[in-house]
Amino acid sequence: MNEIDLYISVLLKFLTASLLLERVIEFFDKFLTLIGVASGKKNLLMRLADIPFSYDEQSQRTLKKVLLVQTAGIIIGTAICYFSGLGILKELKLVDSVHSRWFDILLSGIFISGGSEPIHQLINFLKGHKEQLAATNLKKMQEIGRLSSVNLQRPGQKIGITYQGGLYPDRPGHGLRKANPSYIVIHHSGTSTKASFEDVVNKEKQERKNARGAYRLDPSFHSVITYDGAIHNYCRWDSIGWHVAKGPRVSNANSLGLCFVGNFRNRSSGKNKPSEQQIEAGARLLALWRYLYDIEEKNVVRHSDVRRGKIICPGENFPMERLVARSTQLLKSWKQDDTILKDLEQFKKQRYIYV
């Protein structure tokens, strides 16, 4: 847009010079006619008397006049550019005004000697192009605004959780559930707290082997919460993940898996605890799942509760009771807020949530 404005401003300068040149050429043409009358030129007198010329005489006269007027136009145009300091290349910032001064002046003189009509056409073309660009940019801005509006209105904004089917919305994990989940299993990733969501996914993608052969857990957990408190949806919630071995009551088929990034097993170090951001984000997600699937507080369990004595997950340092209590507190407060309840009801209508 700025370049187009520059071109138009330069052309307007040359339009003024071109209009001035046209007036000078008109005066020059009339002056030549006057000289011809005063000197009794035969061709001029025949033209004034409306006596037709022969074809050759007419062509010769026209050619001479055009040549004379164009030559005079270039000379006068160059003079105008010289004395006014006009240079089309200089104005467009294409050349150094000192080293190319005479070439620029001559080129500019030739340019304005063509008359004002071509310059008018160029200006109109650039103005039309500018309007077209402005209209295109306006449409882009409107589309960005529309998408931003849609994003702001997405269900879950009120509670800070959005969902669009997880990492693989186009495929149902390890199969679709036969019934909605009735348990939530809490895990830790067993990695450094610095691990990213991508690190966890890559770990789950690694090939494992058992008596039945090779397999991969991916997608395993339904959501992963990194140390900064960010919630990353992984396996589709309406699908079976692969995060727990089957126990007496809990299995992959009837549970949701929630993983906190970190290793919280070591009692001797206070550093091996989830961050406050993780606990708060986890409590919000637990409250949401409990609301969506009507899961009781007692059905939120540790991974180690499913496989007692065989695994320590999410670790001794994980504040399980505080997490569940906070989710219950949030759930109660949401049920008393009509705005949040309306948001949650809209959340229920999304795809990939219910069987």
Side-chain angles (χ1 to χ4, degrees):
M1 292 289 284
N2 291 334
E3 288 185 354
I4 293 177
D5 290 333
L6 172 64
Y7 297 155
I8 291 175
S9 66
V10 170
L11 287 173
L12 286 173
K13 290 180 182 179
F14 281 88
L15 178 61
T16 303
S18 182
L19 289 170
L20 174 62
L21 179 58
E22 285 181 347
R23 302 292 82 79
V24 172
I25 293 299
E26 285 179 9
F27 174 78
F28 180 68
D29 183 52
K30 291 178 181 178
F31 180 71
L32 289 177
T33 302
L34 182 62
I35 292 175
V37 171
S39 60
K41 295 285 184 179
K42 173 187 173 185
N43 291 345
L44 180 59
L45 294 174
M46 288 177 68
R47 180 164 59 83
L48 293 174
D50 203 22
I51 300 173
F53 293 95
S54 68
Y55 178 78
D56 291 339
E57 288 177 318
Q58 179 71 19
S59 299
Q60 188 178 13
R61 186 181 70 86
T62 301
L63 182 62
K64 287 181 178 179
K65 183 177 180 181
V66 169
L67 182 62
L68 180 62
V69 170
Q70 286 188 346
T71 302
I74 292 173
I75 294 171
I76 298 171
T78 303
I80 290 174
C81 292
Y82 174 77
F83 288 107
S84 64
L86 276 178
I88 190 166
L89 299 179
K90 180 187 73 174
E91 296 290 341
L92 292 175
K93 299 178 174 35
L94 296 177
V95 297
D96 186 286
S97 59
V98 176
H99 294 90
S100 307
R101 183 167 180 259
W102 283 107
F103 173 74
D104 196 10
I105 289 173
L106 178 60
L107 183 63
S108 303
I110 295 172
F111 178 63
I112 66 173
S113 70
S116 61
E117 185 59 29
I119 299 178
H120 270 300
Q121 291 177 355
L122 276 172
I123 291 173
N124 290 334
F125 169 76
L126 289 173
K127 284 182 176 179
H129 188 56
K130 180 181 177 181
E131 290 173 359
Q132 197 173 34
L133 284 176
T136 302
N137 289 336
L138 179 60
K139 285 182 180 179
K140 287 181 180 179
M141 293 301 295
Q142 289 174 340
E143 181 65 15
I144 291 171
R146 186 187 68 79
L147 293 175
S148 299
S149 176
V150 169
N151 186 57
L152 289 173
Q153 295 171 7
R154 184 177 298 159
Q157 290 288 338
K158 297 293 182 182
I159 60 172
I161 301 172
T162 57
Y163 172 72
Q164 290 181 294
L167 190 60
Y168 310 116
D170 57 333
R171 61 184 176 95
H174 297 278
L176 287 172
R177 303 180 189 276
K178 293 182 179 180
N180 290 318
S182 52
Y183 290 89
I184 300 171
V185 181
I186 305 300
H187 303 259
H188 69 173
S189 63
T191 64
S192 163
T193 54
K194 295 180 181 179
S196 65
F197 173 58
E198 291 73 19
D199 293 333
V200 174
V201 172
N202 289 333
K203 180 183 176 184
E204 300 304 287
K205 285 182 177 180
Q206 291 175 6
E207 188 176 273
R208 295 166 168 80
K209 292 183 179 181
N210 60 17
R212 297 180 182 178
Y215 67 97
R216 289 181 175 85
L217 299 176
D218 175 64
S220 53
F221 311 109
H222 292 86
S223 289
V224 174
I225 301 179
T226 46
Y227 201 70
D228 59 0
I231 298 172
H232 304 269
N233 295 314
Y234 189 3
C235 182
R236 271 172 45 178
W237 297 354
D238 64 342
S239 305
I240 299 171
W242 201 340
H243 59 95
V244 63
K246 187 175 182 180
R249 294 175 297 124
V250 184
S251 67
N252 286 315
N254 67 2
S255 67
L256 290 159
L258 174 56
C259 177
F260 290 79
V261 171
N263 188 333
F264 311 119
R265 289 192 56 181
N266 187 356
R267 287 180 179 271
S268 64
S269 173
K271 293 181 180 180
N272 289 350
K273 292 180 180 180
S275 68
E276 289 302 312
Q277 295 96 321
Q278 276 183 302
I279 295 300
E280 185 62 25
R284 281 188 287 112
L285 185 56
L286 282 184
L288 174 62
W289 280 350
R290 290 175 61 190
Y291 179 86
L292 294 175
Y293 304 110
D294 195 24
I295 297 175
E296 298 179 34
E297 187 177 274
K298 64 183 180 66
N299 283 1
V300 181
V301 299
R302 301 175 181 86
H303 187 191
S304 55
D305 293 332
V306 181
R307 301 188 68 196
R308 292 186 181 278
K310 296 182 179 180
I311 192 167
I312 302 175
C313 175
E316 304 94 337
N317 281 352
F318 191 87
M320 185 71 176
E321 291 75 15
R322 185 158 70 91
L323 172 71
V324 177
R326 176 57 179 157
S327 74
T328 300
Q329 182 184 16
L330 286 171
L331 191 54
K332 287 180 179 179
S333 67
W334 291 354
K335 289 180 178 180
Q336 295 172 0
D337 189 323
D338 291 338
T339 304
I340 291 180
L341 282 175
K342 184 178 179 180
D343 188 32
L344 291 174
E345 289 304 309
Q346 290 298 316
F347 201 105
K348 284 183 174 182
K349 297 177 183 179
Q350 296 184 108
R351 301 170 65 191
Y352 313 129
I353 291 180
Y354 295 107
V355 175

